[in-house]
Amino acid sequence: MVFRTRRLALASVAAAAATALVGGCASGTGGSSSGADGDTLTLWTHNAGNSAELDVVKKIIKDFNASQDTYTVELQSFPQTDYNNSVVAAASARKLPCLLDVDGPNVANWAWGGYLAPIDVAGSEVPVEDQLASTVGTYKDKLYSFGFYDVSLAFFARKSVLNEHGIRIPTMDEPWTKGEFDTALAELKKSGKFDYPLEMGTGGSGEWWPYAYSPQLQSFGGDLIDRDGDKTASGTLDGKESVEWGTWFRSLVTKGYMAKKSGADPNKDFLAGKSAIQWDGSWNAAKNAQKLGDDLAIIPPVDLGKGPRIGGASWQWAMSSTCSNKDGAQEWLKFSRQTKYFVEYAKATSTIPATDAAAEQIADYQPGGRFEVLVRFAREYATVRPVTPAYPYISTEFQKAAQDILAGADPREALGQAAKNIDNNLKTNDNYAG
């Protein structure tokens, strides 16, 4: 497998860093080694700082190793902040492990770049077809990855606050319209009880920006790229609907509805009553419910013209193209695809299980559960970020444009420059052909 030379920000890793990162890989070239006790497969995960999720990974590995005596999986975990660069560096040195996790939006890029190999998990307990679409990673009609969970964006509010100000509590059957939402924010601002009635996490960074705000762009009718071929962003990212989104997005700041840059812990501020409505993820639903009880309203995304939207796809498991024991790697992937593990991931991380069968085993997510609506959001509103190798570059350009817009840049110019830069990247990479 020849790794492609990439002109993306993700690939800018110094040679010294590459040497240091791959030096700790126990398995050597290909992520697999042979010994008297069978084949050892190295597995990398981004969960070094997330003990709850890491414990589930460790359990699956322990169970798999105990279930047979042909293969042994060994774990190596990285902090999430270092993980992508670790993978890129290892790929450059042809030192990828056999098994690794990948953020859903990066699957196409890593597959195109030669990092990943297609996988075959036929015969698993859980068929791929049973999963939420956003938890399966494909590229050019081949399966490259799958995840055990997804997350969902939602608005959180106090019912008592909305009722006090005469604001309707929306439902999936009747979500807020743009006009209703703008009127609600104006009413909350006028009350004088909130410096900023809306909290949308504008102090965040990186992938949060396209994950949190491009669904709103799409609800206006715009998008990050023309998905008919993924060959141009011009006319789409800087099209009429996208510019309307940018103008509205900026108006949330100029009207004093939200901060240009929110605080370090937006959810803490919401729970402290500093904001009335928060745009946040399902990962904080349990914490919000514990604090607010029955006063918590979980609200669908606003229909800004073309239907409610949220982002889709989270972390997924894959196999490297340089794995020297692909049969063994796929045996671990198949083994992991048991409903009980989908359930354990969801319980440990408060994420949305990727299958209905798993959701039915979790009180909060089963029909009638207090967070069932989040499963419905993920099923009905999720829009995956563009499935193109250009996505990491698109993500960076969108973040910059959106931040510039909030800082006062003209939306048409900021989005136009982003579209131009993305098109140049596409042209430079021959539209990621091959």
Side-chain angles (χ1 to χ4, degrees), residues 104-357:
N106 290 334
V107 170
N109 181 269
W110 288 12
W112 171 83
Y115 300 1
L116 307 180
I119 59 175
D120 179 3
V121 292
S124 303
E125 177 184 308
V126 177
V128 171
E129 295 76 17
D130 287 358
Q131 293 193 219
L132 290 171
S134 60
T135 65
V136 177
T138 60
Y139 177 61
K140 292 194 171 180
D141 298 322
K142 293 180 180 179
L143 176 68
Y144 280 90
S145 63
F146 65 85
F148 290 88
Y149 59 82
D150 205 347
V151 289
S152 172
L153 286 166
F155 283 111
F156 295 104
R158 288 169 172 82
K159 296 175 184 176
S160 57
V161 169
L162 299 182
N163 289 333
E164 178 186 352
H165 295 89
I167 298 168
R168 180 179 69 87
I169 299 175
T171 63
M172 290 187 71
D173 290 336
E174 194 176 353
W176 276 329
T177 63
K178 176 180 176 296
E180 274 189 290
F181 187 53
D182 290 344
T183 299
L185 293 176
E187 185 66 27
L188 291 165
K189 181 68 176 179
K190 187 174 65 176
S191 74
K193 295 183 178 181
F194 310 97
D195 287 342
Y196 299 106
L198 177 63
E199 173 57 75
M200 289 227 292
T202 52
S205 60
E207 191 56 26
W208 169 251
W209 282 74
Y211 176 69
Y213 311 129
S214 68
Q216 296 171 345
L217 168 83
Q218 291 155 349
S219 186
F220 264 88
D223 209 340
L224 297 170
I225 192 172
D226 182 349
R227 300 205 188 202
D228 183 12
D230 297 321
K231 294 182 178 180
T232 181
S234 294
T236 300
L237 181 55
D238 59 352
K240 177 177 177 290
E241 293 84 0
S242 296
V243 173
E244 288 175 351
W245 163 81
T247 302
W248 171 80
F249 192 52
R250 170 63 181 164
S251 76
L252 298 176
V253 171
T254 58
K255 292 178 179 179
Y257 297 162
M258 76 175 184
K260 180 168 64 177
K261 184 176 183 180
S262 61
D265 192 339
N267 186 243
K268 182 178 179 180
D269 289 344
F270 165 69
L271 291 177
K274 294 183 179 180
S275 56
I277 302 172
Q278 186 192 11
W279 183 234
D280 196 12
S282 54
W283 52 86
N284 276 325
K287 183 195 299 184
N288 293 346
Q290 183 177 13
K291 173 77 172 180
L292 303 180
D294 291 340
D295 198 29
L296 176 65
I298 302 177
I299 297 171
V302 178
D303 182 351
L304 295 166
K306 300 295 183 180
R309 302 287 187 93
I310 61 171
S314 191
W315 288 87
Q316 302 174 6
W317 288 99
M319 175 177 68
S320 73
S321 60
T322 52
C323 176
S324 59
N325 192 335
K326 291 183 172 63
D327 288 343
Q330 292 185 123
E331 282 304 309
W332 184 85
L333 291 170
K334 291 178 184 179
F335 178 88
S336 74
R337 295 183 54 77
Q338 299 182 50
T339 294
K340 65 181 180 181
Y341 297 131
F342 284 80
V343 172
E344 289 191 29
Y345 267 106
K347 286 182 175 179
T349 61
S350 296
T351 50
I352 296 168
T355 70
D356 288 342

Side-chain angles (χ1 to χ4, degrees), residues 399-413:
Q399 178 185 347
K400 182 179 185 302
Q403 289 176 328
D404 286 349
I405 288 168
L406 289 192
D410 178 81
R412 186 179 304 278
E413 293 180 4

